[in-house]
Amino acid sequence: MIYHFSKYTQIVENNNKVVLGNRLNGEWIRISKEVYNILEMGIKNKLSISELINCLYDNDDKNYLKSLYKDMCMLGIIEDDTHQNIAYNKLVSFEMTHRCNLHCIHCCVSADTLNSKDKDLSTEICKDIINKMSKWNPKSIMLSGGEPMVRTDFFELLLYLKSIYNGNIILSTNGLLISEENVDILTKCVTSMSISLDGADEESCSMIRGHGVFNKVIKNIQLLKKNNFKRISVSMTISPKTEHLEGKFYELNKSLGTTPLIRDFSPVGRGRDNYLAFTDDGLDKVFISKKFLSDDYSKPIGVSSCGAGTRELLIRYNGDIYPCMSLSSQKFKLGSILEIKSLSEVVKKTMDFIDFNTVLQSLDYKYKQRCKQCKVNLFCWTCPGSFQEYKGNIKAFEDRCNKLKPILYKRVWESE
């Protein structure tokens, strides 16, 4: 049974070490150049792993290679007849409305107010969109906005989705409209909820989301828990002015029995207009949390594993299709769901966003050659859409590089 490196495997060499990263799932491993050459020899000579192991003399080396091979198969870096990477359709996000009952100062989509001109698609059109999403057979469908629950037909559409779709239904919400009257339907239809809070207490939350929001959302999270709904993540955007609250935010989630989700502030959408509420550094400086930059950071890092445009899609409130929210400018538009019969039509036409070099080539940076040669580029741009935030701002681009590169070198190569 011969083996080969997966088509999703990208390889970076640095001195006597080699990193192999799986672009499909984000997993990676570092091995010595000597071991990598042995594996390459086996591929070149079309050997099975058993035949390759038999070429070795030392029993410790044989056992090590056998164990390593098993690990690399589990990571999807090596494939053989019994170990294959399968790229399942992962996620469709449906922005059900562009309206919201809040006016958060950092909103990445610059959502409209409730009394803005109604742009929502009709109930029947939304049901047709739900049909097309379901037939694509994604692992998960996310309902988002704006605030999806402001639609008067939200529960009709939720029940319809539940009736025809067997995958995970994720609700992205600000949590304000959860109530005793609808909690039963929500807990029966929704697999998990992602609730944006952006604060660890009333004071920090009110700065971004408005007065009184914090206590209402906490009350509604407790209502969900009371009804035995467990899969709740609560998110907070941190910035230079709020990162001191990260520990308190984790404690809050521990007390609620929810999963904390931390996002670093980026000046996009309304965040660009209100960036002074988050940082005094200006737009030429990029925020990366002190915790991530510290030597005692213990969370694992992964390689870029973006499936936008191939395994993940975003359908906006007007039916336009994009790879994801980070790549939702007009030039990345893939079509309209109102004009196609199947989402598969769109995926066949779109570029493969898993390929780092393809994304890099689409951007006009004087530093892109430096990025191509960088020994940690697999880990730096975990989201291709992040490039767009720095396009035209070389100073911010370079500031980010100067902060991240030495940290990533330490973590990936265990060297300065």
Side-chain angles (χ1 to χ4, degrees), residues 104-110 265-279 282-285 388-393 396:
C104 302
I105 63 174
H106 70 329
C107 180
C108 63
V109 298
S110 299
F265 170 71
S266 294
V268 294
R270 276 201 293 270
R272 188 171 184 85
D273 299 327
N274 299 301
Y275 74 92
L276 288 175
F278 299 89
T279 177
L283 296 176
D284 290 342
K285 298 293 182 180
Q388 303 306 307
E389 297 176 25
Y390 306 106
K391 198 163 188 179
N393 190 345

Side-chain angles (χ1 to χ4, degrees), residues 307-399:
T310 54
R311 298 180 299 122
E312 301 179 30
L313 294 168
L314 166 69
I315 300 168
R316 299 219 61 183
Y317 63 94
N318 59 359
D320 287 348
I321 306 171
Y322 293 89
C324 67
M325 186 55 71
S326 296
L327 295 168
S328 58
S329 60
Q330 189 64 23
K331 68 178 178 179
F332 291 113
K333 180 180 172 181
L334 304 175
S336 171
I337 198 166
L338 310 181
E339 300 171 357
I340 61 171
K341 293 181 180 180
S342 167
L343 285 174
S344 297
E345 297 175 30
V346 169
V347 172
K348 287 178 183 178
K349 297 176 184 177
T350 187
M351 64 183 287
D352 187 355
F353 284 92
I354 292 174
D355 184 355
F356 172 83
N357 291 318
T358 303
V359 177
L360 199 58
Q361 280 299 122
S362 72
L363 301 162
D364 186 23
Y365 277 117
K366 70 176 182 178
Y367 291 112
K368 70 181 179 182
Q369 291 303 320
R370 184 175 72 177
C371 286
K372 272 187 166 184
Q373 301 303 318
C374 179
K375 302 301 184 182
V376 291
N377 63 26
L378 283 177
F379 302 85
C380 183
W381 296 101
T382 52
C383 171
S386 299
F387 276 111
Q388 303 306 307
E389 297 176 25
Y390 306 106
K391 198 163 188 179
N393 190 345
I394 297 298
K395 288 183 179 180
F397 184 91
E398 193 165 34
D399 179 64

Side-chain angles (χ1 to χ4, degrees), residues 174-206:
N174 59 37
L176 284 175
L177 298 179
I178 299 168
S179 68
E180 292 278 3
E181 290 71 31
N182 61 39
V183 69
D184 187 56
I185 296 175
L186 286 173
T187 54
K188 287 180 179 177
C189 294
V190 174
T191 309
S192 62
M193 286 192 205
S194 176
I195 299 177
S196 302
L197 188 61
D198 291 310
D201 50 30
E202 168 62 26
E203 181 182 3
S204 54
C205 178
S206 64

